[in-house]
Amino acid sequence: MCPHALIPYKPKNPKTRLSSLLSQEEREAFAFAMLEDVVSAAKDAMCSPVVVGTELFDSELVQVTVKDADLNQTLNEILPTVETGLLILMADLPLADEASIRRVTSTEKDMAIVPGRGGGTNVIFMKEPKKFHVDYYGTSFVKHMKIAADAGLSVEVVDSFRLHTDIDEEDDLVELLIHGTGKSRAYLESLGFSLATETGRVRCVRKR
Amino acid sequence: MCPHALIPYKPKNPKTRLSSLLSQEEREAFAFAMLEDVVSAAKDAMCSPVVVGTELFDSELVQVTVKDADLNQTLNEILPTVETGLLILMADLPLADEASIRRVTSTEKDMAIVPGRGGGTNVIFMKEPKKFHVDYYGTSFVKHMKIAADAGLSVEVVDSFRLHTDIDEEDDLVELLIHGTGKSRAYLESLGFSLATETGRVRCVRKR
């Protein structure tokens, strides 16, 4: 089985919640490094990555461009046209690896979902994409579970912290520095980021 | 197999990072509700829970009391005396369930570890506890991986967001309100907590 993996991606001014730590140029380079890690993991899991970008960017990756920046509409136009299993995987999951993606694509249910931190949806796998539609933003995990139930689709919620950990905020960088092995961790380290142990949870610091 | 599950627990003035949201009395009741959820999950996974508390508390649970509040020392005195597999499971993991704990206790390696959010260690399972010693606090996940490597023990890092999500801070309550099914979620709801959807990640709010 070699399903397509759609990877929504914003090349321009991404990850604005990291603005206090990273310049726009750095955030763009960091987002691209995370995308490369996700693409690499998807390929390791025998999926064919297709980047769904808000604009074309310089890369050899297969790209679909979202004209109107409405991710839900674009994906919901694609879903009914796909006759095979389909994965939708966010671009900010640099801890994704072959094993975690295979747990998703090997589900015995009609679908598998991995919730993101804070109620989002990080990964969806559909055996019959035409029976489902997406509704991202807000507590999309709760919405997607309801859409599946309404459509009579069985869902496995895959319990993976690697796919649960989307990188949006400063605390999330700590997870990447501890558990990451790919380009996005290396990029952070090249900028001078490292772990700092204080009381309670570990934070990250940047030497300039 | 029915290994003991040691559950470190602080009955008095716990979870101080939630002080802005919960009174001391509420934090104590909340911590106890989380403990009950963890104990319930451990029993579902055929483990025998033993609470390692900083003081005795009123409960029918099997308790070991830590005299000197040094968790590491106490656990490291217990480990060499145990001849069977042993689980150490934190008390603030109310999303723990039978499936996630069984993934840990069924490891084919010498040990299994689940990292906590921010570099901690939420769960350790040792087939031969006398070969290992613990070193909690700070980036204990990194320390435990090194201790295992130095002891020649193979380790499976179990990829579970249910066991990765320790409840310490306000954002963590969101995860409990979304994914929890036990007493601690019900307790939060009884205090008036619910999900609030704004831009970006979902937060929790409390009606008083």
Side-chain angles (χ1 to χ4, degrees), chain A residues 36-57:
Chain A
E36 287 188 293
D37 288 342
V38 171
V39 164
S40 173
K43 285 180 176 172
D44 288 346
M46 300 300 287
C47 296
S48 304
V50 176
V51 180
V52 182
T54 49
E55 53 201 290
L56 279 176
F57 57 100

Side-chain angles (χ1 to χ4, degrees), chain A residues 17 100 103 115 117-119 138-139 141 159-162 164 166 168-169 172 175 178-179 197 201-203, chain B residues 100 103 115 117-119 138-139 141 159-162 164 166 168-169 172 175 178-179 197 201-203:
Chain A
R17 278 185 276 167
S100 54
R103 283 173 60 203
R117 182 136 174 106
T139 41
F141 172 69
D159 177 17
S160 163
F161 84 80
R162 300 194 79 87
H164 176 68
D166 39 352
D168 287 318
E169 300 178 354
D172 305 327
E175 304 303 319
I178 294 173
H179 301 290
T197 308
R201 280 184 182 160
V202 176
R203 305 287 169 187
Chain B
S100 53
R103 282 172 61 204
R117 180 132 177 110
T139 41
F141 172 69
D159 177 17
S160 163
F161 84 81
R162 299 194 79 88
H164 176 68
D166 38 353
D168 287 318
E169 300 178 353
D172 305 327
E175 303 304 319
I178 292 173
H179 301 289
T197 308
R201 281 184 181 159
V202 175
R203 308 287 170 187

Side-chain angles (χ1 to χ4, degrees), chain B residues 153-173:
Chain B
L153 298 168
S154 60
V155 183
E156 178 180 356
V157 178
V158 175
D159 177 17
S160 163
F161 84 81
R162 299 194 79 88
L163 297 177
H164 176 68
T165 305
D166 38 353
I167 306 293
D168 287 318
E169 300 178 353
E170 182 173 347
D171 280 359
D172 305 327
L173 299 183

Side-chain angles (χ1 to χ4, degrees), chain B residues 65-108:
Chain B
T65 309
V66 183
K67 278 182 192 153
D68 53 3
D70 187 333
L71 179 65
N72 287 321
Q73 186 184 331
T74 303
L75 291 174
N76 287 331
E77 286 171 4
I78 296 173
L79 262 52
T81 70
V82 181
E83 293 292 335
T84 58
L86 181 70
L87 190 69
I88 305 174
L89 186 64
M90 294 295 135
D92 60 353
L93 305 174
L95 303 185
D97 62 5
E98 177 183 346
S100 53
I101 295 176
R102 282 191 188 273
R103 282 172 61 204
V104 174
T105 57
S106 65
T107 186
E108 294 181 358

